Amino acid sequence: MSLLDALITRIQTNGPLSVADYMQECLLHPEFGYYATRDPFGAGGDFTTAPEISQMFGELLGLCLAQAWLDRGAPSSFILAEPGPGRGTLMADILRATGSVPGFHAAADVHLIEASVTLREIQKEALKDHQITWHNDLSDLPEGPLFLVANEFLDALPIRQFIRDGKSWRERCIALNTTQDALCFGTGDATDFPALAHRLADTKDGDLVELNAPACATTAEISRRIKAQGGLALLVDYGGWQSKGDTFQALKGHEFSDPLTDPGNADLTAHVDFDPLTQVATQAGLNVSGLTLQGVLLERLGITGRAQALAQNMSGEALENHIAAHRRLTHPEEMGTLFKAIAISASGTPPVPGFNPPGANSV
């Protein structure tokens, strides 16, 4: 039995799957799911995230969090949280960089949101010198001022896809091809969909848009906590403003692959639409920075100066790799413009270092 076999049986029994249901099964199936069965990160995995490229990424975000903590009166106890922490590299770099900030570690109660048993074991090793609490879901976090960072977390949350048909929409689904032994895309019946009523103004027949309800729910929970008890959230991911077009993709061995081939053995993601996330937080009465390019954010936080300082003790291949890492994180032709970030904070609190002011999107 493979995940493909299980999915074929499910579709034969219950009909086509939404893209969201398919992603959920492929990524988190308890026996065959991608994240449940492996370490997907780094050169030996299927993709490499910014923290794995260079320590500078986590260091600068950590110092950004610490400065924001100071700007908000340095609360004596707060929740330092990361959903989807990968190998624990980002949190390890954050904690190392903030070790010299007086009172920060004493006040921080560190929590990771991770459903994968495999990845939890890797995180425990990376963070063995720190007291960490793990949770399966963001809602399990204790109450208190929340300082949260999420890097490449939202892109892996299950999306739904809709294709415009006149004034209606058809949901894209996963079905079986005519041979019944492979998966293919299909579409459902045309129907009104209130959540997409506003998109009739900027789309035409045949256009595809994506909805990420879990990302909106996550943002709503983060916003509730920040409004009630203070703090802020830094959300970094690849994507843009107002979804349009098919961004559903699979990565295997650092190369793109067919998302319907070999389910459970490739990473599935979609670009993050930051527009509805901003609306959720704004409607909750919070400040949301303008969408900020990753390269711009890191430069404002001082990555070039940090890179130069680290380079003084390097030579040869190590120096070449260091220079390449700086470029990969910041250059417009690399991750610098593909990845973007927003900061969510309580109304009336100081701006978050490095981020655009509310309403000033750099896209």
Side-chain angles (χ1 to χ4, degrees):
M1 171 70 76
S2 67
L3 182 57
L4 177 59
D5 295 328
L7 291 172
I8 289 174
T9 299
R10 178 173 170 181
I11 292 170
Q12 289 172 333
T13 304
N14 300 317
L17 301 172
S18 68
V19 175
D21 286 341
Y22 178 74
M23 287 184 70
Q24 181 78 12
E25 289 293 289
C26 289
L27 297 177
L28 296 176
H29 188 282
E31 184 177 358
F32 303 116
Y34 181 76
Y35 285 112
T37 58
R38 74 200 69 214
D39 171 12
F41 299 94
D46 294 313
F47 58 90
T48 303
T49 61
E52 304 290 340
I53 292 170
S54 171
Q55 68 187 67
M56 296 183 291
F57 181 82
E59 289 173 345
L60 293 173
L61 289 187
L63 293 174
C64 174
L65 285 171
Q67 184 60 57
W69 172 73
L70 291 169
D71 292 341
R72 284 153 180 76
S76 59
S77 177
F78 69 93
I79 307 302
L80 176 59
E82 182 188 359
R87 287 177 167 173
T89 305
L90 175 57
M91 184 56 71
D93 290 340
I94 287 172
L95 292 173
R96 185 183 62 257
T98 56
S100 60
V101 179
F104 187 82
H105 280 198
D109 186 9
V110 185
H111 294 258
L112 301 181
I113 297 94
E114 178 59 71
S116 168
V117 175
T118 300
L119 290 177
R120 280 194 186 193
E121 292 304 313
I122 297 170
Q123 293 156 15
K124 287 176 182 177
E125 178 62 26
L127 295 161
K128 60 186 178 183
D129 295 330
H130 302 279
Q131 181 67 42
I132 311 291
T133 303
W134 277 265
H135 305 277
N136 288 324
D137 191 82
L138 184 71
S139 62
D140 296 332
L141 289 175
E143 297 295 325
L146 175 65
F147 287 73
L148 178 144
V149 59
N151 178 65
E152 288 199 61
F153 169 69
L154 300 173
D155 65 88
L157 297 178
I159 62 159
R160 296 172 69 184
Q161 293 185 318
F162 296 87
I163 299 172
R164 182 170 170 181
D165 183 352
K167 298 293 185 181
S168 301
W169 300 88
R170 295 181 182 271
E171 183 163 12
R172 200 180 191 203
C173 59
I174 313 298
L176 299 180
N177 66 13
T178 54
T179 67
Q180 299 291 294
D181 61 359
L183 305 176
C184 66
F185 286 109
T187 54
D189 295 334
T191 182
D192 292 334
F193 201 74
L196 289 175
H198 67 292
R199 298 305 306 272
L200 295 175
D202 69 312
T203 58
K204 62 183 184 302
D205 273 8
D207 281 350
L208 185 150
V209 299
E210 297 171 337
L211 289 181
N212 192 332
C216 290
T218 296
T219 304
E221 174 64 10
I222 291 169
S223 299
R224 179 193 70 78
R225 290 170 176 271
I226 292 174
K227 183 173 184 179
Q229 299 178 73
L232 82 158
L234 311 182
L235 308 181
V236 186
D237 227 307
Y238 57 89
W241 197 259
Q242 289 195 329
S243 159
K244 187 182 291 186
D246 180 12
T247 73
F248 180 45
Q249 62 190 31
L251 271 175
K252 187 175 182 180
H254 298 270
E255 295 183 357
F256 291 107
S257 63
D258 183 344
L260 302 189
T261 300
D262 204 15
N265 290 311
D267 183 42
L268 300 181
T269 66
H271 286 207
V272 175
D273 182 356
F274 287 92
D275 178 23
L277 308 186
T278 296
Q279 292 183 35
V280 166
T282 301
Q283 290 168 5
L286 301 181
N287 282 339
V288 184
S289 69
L291 194 60
T292 308
L293 301 176
Q294 176 176 292
V296 171
L297 173 64
L298 293 176
E299 290 294 354
R300 288 174 179 167
L301 293 176
I303 192 171
T304 295
R306 178 58 175 154
Q308 291 170 343
L310 290 172
Q312 292 180 359
N313 298 318
M314 297 180 181
S315 62
E317 184 178 357
L319 179 58
E320 292 176 2
N321 291 339
H322 176 62
I323 293 171
H326 175 269
R327 174 185 169 86
R328 188 170 178 188
L329 290 174
T330 61
H331 196 276
E333 295 180 0
E334 303 272 356
M335 298 172 73
T337 55
L338 175 63
F339 282 75
K340 303 172 183 72
I342 58 173
I344 300 171
S345 56
S347 179
T349 55
V352 182
F355 284 82
N356 289 335
N361 290 342
S362 57
V363 293

